Amino acid sequence: MPSWLSRSTVLFCCLLLTACGSASAQTRLNELTVAMSSDLSSFDPAMGNAGTDHVFLYPVYDTLIDFEPETTEPIPGLATSWEYTDPHTLELELREGVTFHDNEEFNADAVVKNLERSRSEGSNLQSELASISDVVATADYTVEIRLSEPDSALPLILSDRSGMMVSPASLEDPDTLATRPVGTGPWEFLDWNRGSAVKLTANDDYWDDSVEVSPNLTFRVLTDPKTRVDSLITNQVDFSYQVGPGDAEGLALNEQITVQADPSMRVRMVYLDLSDELMSDPKVREALNLAIDRDQLANVGFFGHAQPASTFLPTTHWASVNEESAYPYDPERARELLSEAGAEDASFSMLLPNDANTVRIAEILRYSFKEVGLTVQMKPRELVQSTTEYFDEHRDPALLSAWTGRPDPAQTYAQLLAASGYYNAGSVAPPGLEEAVEESNTHTDNDARADSLKEAGRLDREFSTFMPLVFEDAIVAYDKNIQGYQPNLLGKPKFTNVIEAG
């Protein structure tokens, strides 16, 4: 991390803010306004296709199980406890006295309807809930999830989209659900002006009295990084999410703004559609990976706010493959592989979000590919449009985007690398990977799971399924009078307990 922005410096700034404002002087912001780099794809947790959707979804939807921000260890959410009564049964005890924003009661029947819908045909969550054979309400506030095979990843899966609880009445009208969400979360939906802003208001009947929220939460969609920076400097917004690494240094010099950079599981990557003739050749995929100097990309493309990536879990993660599996920068070997594949002077097209930071990264990649004899046509699009064209319409064989990580590593493998995973556009999985993940899910202890999950990571790396590039720091900036911001390892804040120091 650059010297101008150490974590200790951020901590010191936070301590100063705390000292300046006594508890009695702390007040809730009347409106917390957050600048976002892109709009969300859908308010329907089972149908959205963008990783940044979570930032919009968390305020409206509670999950059955929550997670510790710094470790992603599971903690109680709408389920107060859970237990594997046998290897094929997960029992949830639910929180009583919770209501949805439409005043419907949250209970076991609501959980059954949500999980049945999320694992049904057409849901983007189907692959990560594939182990479920049945969901039964055994009492008003007790749910039994019956499994066709052991699945120790399920508790953390239920802390993500699959565990977001939607009002049963809303589930009956999925078209409306996509634009007018009804959950049990700390904020209620007010309005969504596509491409411009999402407005939420506090849920005064929220079940958790320990959670403090601003009366109003507004997300403003400002796709241009400089506009987000200027809006923060001029007090048009209170908080800027996903600050570009090139903008962070200048913001840190502003005494009115706090800049915070934290490690995250967000990996900038190139998705490859293995059903495409060119991308189906493993020699081509390996060549693509060897053509990139990841150290240079981290330092130049991300101004030092990134670490090279060769798989989808950072080296500090308990299930990560070690650094020996990193792709070396070897353009000569890349050219040899392309020659062996008969792909000299090949060309392909790549979709990408049209923000300035991503376009800059794309230019670095285009130059690197040109050096080994590949021509790439870059196709910048608005974020949601780029993901829709790639994952849903299969228009192009590559997408430069990011994988934002999931609470449990088995989720990443199920959604991203399994043949049935929504984010695996070519539906081709590394041989043996799904079996390795299934083996990991037979164990409940992380140490026991780690060997199988590391094997899955090794298999993915050998197959060169996609192109992981770097793990990005999660950089945010906010008005100095704001405190209480809690980052998490996923880089997707929830904005509860963010208060203003009076």
Side-chain angles (χ1 to χ4, degrees), residues 213-260:
V213 301
S214 60
N216 296 284
L217 175 60
T218 297
F219 294 106
R220 290 188 59 194
V221 180
L222 304 172
T223 57
D224 179 64
K226 296 298 182 185
T227 302
R228 294 198 298 277
V229 168
D230 292 343
S231 296
L232 183 61
I233 293 173
T234 57
N235 298 315
Q236 297 178 61
V237 301
D238 308 297
F239 192 107
S240 184
Y241 177 63
Q242 289 184 338
V243 172
D247 298 318
E249 184 171 3
L251 280 174
L253 298 175
N254 190 319
E255 295 181 355
Q256 302 302 312
I257 293 171
T258 298
V259 178
Q260 187 164 333

Side-chain angles (χ1 to χ4, degrees), residues 98-106 167-169 182-183 188 203 205:
V98 178
T99 57
F100 290 96
H101 301 152
D102 58 5
N103 295 318
E104 283 210 24
E105 182 185 7
F106 169 74
S167 166
V182 182
E188 300 180 35
N203 174 11
D205 296 323

Side-chain angles (χ1 to χ4, degrees), residues 147-181:
L147 309 174
S148 58
E149 57 191 9
D151 189 356
S152 58
L154 196 53
L156 277 176
I157 287 174
L158 296 179
S159 74
D160 202 69
R161 284 180 181 265
S162 292
M164 291 181 181
M165 291 292 102
V166 179
S167 166
S170 291
L171 292 176
E172 296 175 3
D173 188 359
D175 291 337
T176 299
L177 170 60
T179 57
R180 300 192 63 83

Side-chain angles (χ1 to χ4, degrees), residues 109-237:
D109 288 337
V111 174
V112 171
K113 290 177 182 177
N114 271 271
L115 292 182
E116 289 293 358
R117 189 240 182 181
S118 292
R119 70 187 193 90
S120 65
E121 189 70 31
S123 166
N124 293 346
L125 306 174
Q126 192 174 11
S127 64
E128 64 181 34
L129 298 176
S131 64
I132 298 177
S133 60
D134 200 7
V135 185
V136 179
T138 56
D140 288 346
Y141 296 96
T142 305
V143 171
E144 201 171 82
I145 302 176
R146 297 169 184 172
L147 309 174
S148 58
E149 57 191 9
D151 189 356
S152 58
L154 196 53
L156 277 176
I157 287 174
L158 296 179
S159 74
D160 202 69
R161 284 180 181 265
S162 292
M164 291 181 181
M165 291 292 102
V166 179
S167 166
S170 291
L171 292 176
E172 296 175 3
D173 188 359
D175 291 337
T176 299
L177 170 60
T179 57
R180 300 192 63 83
V182 182
T184 65
W187 282 277
E188 300 180 35
F189 176 82
L190 280 181
D191 183 60
W192 179 14
N193 185 355
R194 284 186 180 273
S196 178
V198 170
K199 293 183 177 294
L200 309 175
T201 189
N203 174 11
D204 293 331
D205 296 323
Y206 190 55
W207 56 267
D208 190 349
D209 293 335
S210 69
V211 170
E212 189 172 5
V213 301
S214 60
N216 296 284
L217 175 60
T218 297
F219 294 106
R220 290 188 59 194
V221 180
L222 304 172
T223 57
D224 179 64
K226 296 298 182 185
T227 302
R228 294 198 298 277
V229 168
D230 292 343
S231 296
L232 183 61
I233 293 173
T234 57
N235 298 315
Q236 297 178 61
V237 301

Side-chain angles (χ1 to χ4, degrees), residues 333-356:
R333 177 57 180 157
R335 285 188 283 268
E336 291 175 357
L337 287 166
L338 290 172
S339 178
E340 292 172 12
E344 309 100 317
D345 302 321
S347 63
F348 64 95
S349 57
M350 181 185 296
L351 290 159
L352 63 142
N354 60 4
D355 65 276

